[in-house]
Amino acid sequence: PPTAHRRTIQLNKQQVVTMKLAIISALVASAAAFAPNAQPAAQTALNAEADRRAFLGAAAAFGAAAIPMAANAKVDYESVGQLGGGSIIDLNNANVRAYLRLQGMYPGAAGKIVTHGPYKSVSDVYNIPGLTSAEKEVIKKYESRFSVNAPAPEYVIDRINNGLYR
């Protein structure tokens, strides 16, 4: 079964401040469009058209300035195939449900693997406290299907429970 993966956007402080200012500017511009004018009530159609053009021009300029801000987003994890969708499972980042396809691993050995770690090598899993000999045998059976990558915070947080239920 497929597992859900989060994608995160990492912004620096400058980008966050710029984004907040852009949102505030958009709100002010929107509110100004509906505010009554201080001009006399007898407006000509020509004046109304000029006001509308000025507002739309400012809104277009603001929109064009906001587009490049998303360029620095972290789009994907380079080892996303090892999170459970492929034949290799990353011991440090894969969710407990990734082990469902390996007969005998879930829930016992899989639960112990995801609640311990991080692991520096695949052989580190044999040092998990409370691992039974049967669990060690099933881990040994699938050892060639395991890998160890650096823990990624956006995936480690969901290793035990990613919110998917049967």
Side-chain angles (χ1 to χ4, degrees):
T3 56
H5 304 292
R6 287 189 185 167
R7 293 180 182 214
T8 58
I9 298 174
Q10 297 175 345
L11 302 173
N12 62 34
K13 289 181 182 181
Q14 170 94 24
Q15 290 170 319
V16 171
V17 170
T18 304
M19 196 174 293
K20 286 180 181 179
L21 288 173
I23 291 169
I24 291 171
S25 299
L27 290 173
V28 169
S30 297
F34 296 103
N37 288 335
Q39 298 174 358
Q43 267 194 341
T44 64
L46 186 59
N47 288 344
E49 183 67 25
D51 287 345
R52 207 172 304 129
R53 281 188 191 157
F55 173 75
L56 291 175
F62 170 74
I67 291 172
M69 288 192 290
N72 294 328
K74 180 178 179 182
V75 176
D76 218 344
Y77 174 62
E78 59 274 0
S79 298
V80 74
Q82 297 179 6
L83 296 176
S87 61
I88 304 294
I89 296 175
D90 179 3
L91 295 174
N92 284 330
N93 295 300
N95 183 271
V96 69
R97 293 179 61 90
Y99 300 91
L100 280 170
R101 294 181 294 132
L102 307 178
Q103 188 174 5
M105 287 289 296
Y106 185 87
K112 290 177 182 174
I113 289 172
V114 299
T115 55
H116 291 81
Y119 305 103
K120 291 186 173 123
S121 69
V122 173
S123 63
D124 287 351
V125 295
Y126 296 106
N127 300 326
I128 296 173
L131 203 60
T132 67
S133 59
E135 290 168 335
K136 287 181 182 181
E137 286 177 28
V138 77
I139 290 171
K140 184 70 172 169
K141 177 180 174 184
Y142 296 111
E143 186 175 13
S144 65
R145 295 189 60 186
F146 299 141
S147 72
V148 175
N149 292 314
E154 55 267 32
Y155 296 109
V156 171
I157 193 169
D158 289 332
R159 287 183 60 198
I160 297 170
N161 180 1
N162 65 355
L164 296 177
Y165 305 98
R166 287 188 191 215

